[in-house]
Amino acid sequence: HVQLVESGGGSVQAGGSLLLSCTVSGTTFNIRCMAWFRQVPGKEREVVATVYTGIGNTYYADSVKGRFTISKDNGKKVLYLQMNSLNPEDTAMYYCAADRRGYCGRDSAYWGQGTQVTVS
């Protein structure tokens, strides 16, 4: 089993930055994909950024390209999301996800509890 714990959310003014962290523990062998999702009430959870752990490729939603950066520290088993130039549309609950398959979708096997980001 894999446990994911997010941190780093909070309130920030438009144009500001936040760094989200996701600490990974448990049986992490063969985790092939990790991602950040976000969700606002009444809307579906959407993928923000994905990293494929074996090859290191990354994917970003169009809405965050050039502003957000996903990265991971394998030694510390932490996944990061650096968020710059935040705007009110980025306000959401942000979730960390992981899967042993080659992709991370809304049906990913492992999820954190979420961390709230509010941009005003």
Side-chain angles (χ1 to χ4, degrees):
H1 194 65
V2 175
Q3 294 83 40
L4 306 174
V5 179
E6 302 97 334
S7 61
S11 297
V12 65
Q13 291 188 334
S17 298
L18 282 174
L19 175 65
L20 303 185
S21 300
C22 173
T23 301
V24 186
S25 61
T27 307
T28 59
F29 175 74
N30 211 25
I31 291 293
R32 297 172 61 189
C33 175
M34 295 197 71
W36 288 96
F37 285 73
R38 65 186 181 187
Q39 188 171 24
V40 297
K43 291 190 176 181
E44 287 188 334
R45 194 170 294 190
E46 64 173 359
V47 63
V48 174
T50 303
V51 60
Y52 300 94
T53 57
I55 55 179
N57 284 10
T58 56
Y59 161 84
Y60 294 94
D62 287 343
S63 58
V64 306
K65 279 182 183 175
R67 300 188 299 122
F68 290 11
T69 302
I70 188 170
S71 63
K72 57 185 177 65
D73 184 325
N74 292 329
K76 296 180 180 179
K77 291 189 175 181
V78 180
L79 181 73
Y80 299 103
L81 185 68
Q82 176 67 49
M83 305 188 296
N84 299 328
S85 301
L86 286 161
N87 58 61
E89 290 70 37
D90 296 315
T91 295
M93 184 72 79
Y94 283 72
Y95 296 91
C96 175
D99 206 296
R100 302 186 194 281
R101 300 173 298 181
Y103 68 94
C104 289
R106 293 193 192 98
D107 61 344
S108 291
Y110 307 106
W111 292 89
Q113 81 290 348
T115 186
Q116 178 68 37
V117 171
T118 302
V119 185
S120 60

